[in-house]
């Protein structure tokens, strides 16, 4: 079957960002070939694990909001999309950093008033060429952690796709 690297997972996250930004044109999108061969889930006769692409799909489905909001002035090379949760209580930012360096992301482009603390869900790995397989199911992994903004900015890990969840004030 196909092997998916962290850079493939980052591409899936950037694709989900684009679908969100263009949601006035897209009603639905599906991921085909879900299991084995070119799938996001790999299995043996006795085991299973998520490829990095599957981990992105799982976390974005669970944590990324459902109501896209327009944002402007976001810095390249970061790929950023924003949503509100269905209940309107949280703003979620999806930030993809496909580069080999860490960035500080100033949130001055946000018009919404957000809490200074939040929850982060970061998909990353040792480098962008790692992959999950039967011997090493978590080379691409999820970091889940609380954070506090420093000077209205986030530190964005290199080679990562993150969802940052903020309570709206």
């Amino acid at each position: 079957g196909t092997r998916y690297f962290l850079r493939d997972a980052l591409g899936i996250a950037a694709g989900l960002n684009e679908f969100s930004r263009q949601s006035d044109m897209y009603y639905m999108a599906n991921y085909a070939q879900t299991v084995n061969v070119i799938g996001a889930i790999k299995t043996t006769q006795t085991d299973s694990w998520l490829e990095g692409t599957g981990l992105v799909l799982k976390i974005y489905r669970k944590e990324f909001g459902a109501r896209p909001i327009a944002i402007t002035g976001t810095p390249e090379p970061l790929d950023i999309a924003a949503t509100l949760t269905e209940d309107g209580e949280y703003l979620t930012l999806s930030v993809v950093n496909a580069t080999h360096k860490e960035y500080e992301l100033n949130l001055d482009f946000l018009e919404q008033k957000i809490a200074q603390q939040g929850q982060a869900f970061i998909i990353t790995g040792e480098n962008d060429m790692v992959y999950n397989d039967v011997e090493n199911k978590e080379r691409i992994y999820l970091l889940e952690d609380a954070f506090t903004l420093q000077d209205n900015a986030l530190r964005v890990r290199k080679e990562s796709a993150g969802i940052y969840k903020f309570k709206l004030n």
Side-chain angles (χ1 to χ4, degrees), residues 2-3 21 38 47-49 51 57 69-71 73 82 114 118 122 124 134 166:
T2 300
R3 177 173 289 155
R21 287 190 294 266
I38 57 174
D47 204 359
S48 66
W49 65 95
E51 288 278 4
L57 292 170
I69 56 173
I71 53 174
I114 56 173
I122 311 296
T124 192
V134 69
F166 300 90

Side-chain angles (χ1 to χ4, degrees), residues 82-97:
T83 62
L84 298 176
T85 55
E86 195 66 45
D87 60 12
E89 291 188 33
Y90 293 89
L91 178 129
T92 60
L93 278 182
S94 167
V95 181
V96 179
N97 180 3

Side-chain angles (χ1 to χ4, degrees), residues 42-86:
K42 296 295 192 235
T43 67
T44 66
Q45 290 182 336
T46 59
D47 204 359
S48 66
W49 65 95
L50 288 174
E51 288 278 4
T53 55
L55 186 57
V56 167
L57 292 170
K58 176 184 175 183
I59 297 308
Y60 274 65
R61 172 67 179 108
K62 183 178 177 189
E63 301 299 339
F64 197 40
R67 297 172 26 205
I69 56 173
I71 53 174
T72 58
T74 60
E76 290 186 5
L78 301 177
D79 184 296
I80 302 171
T83 62
L84 298 176
T85 55
E86 195 66 45

Side-chain angles (χ1 to χ4, degrees), residues 69-74 82-84 91 93 106-115 152 166-169:
I69 56 173
I71 53 174
T72 58
T74 60
T83 62
L84 298 176
L91 178 129
L93 278 182
N106 188 298
L107 300 181
D108 288 344
F109 61 86
L110 289 177
E111 295 177 10
Q112 295 77 11
K113 300 291 183 199
I114 56 173
N152 202 40
F166 300 90
K167 180 93 169 137
L168 289 172
N169 290 331

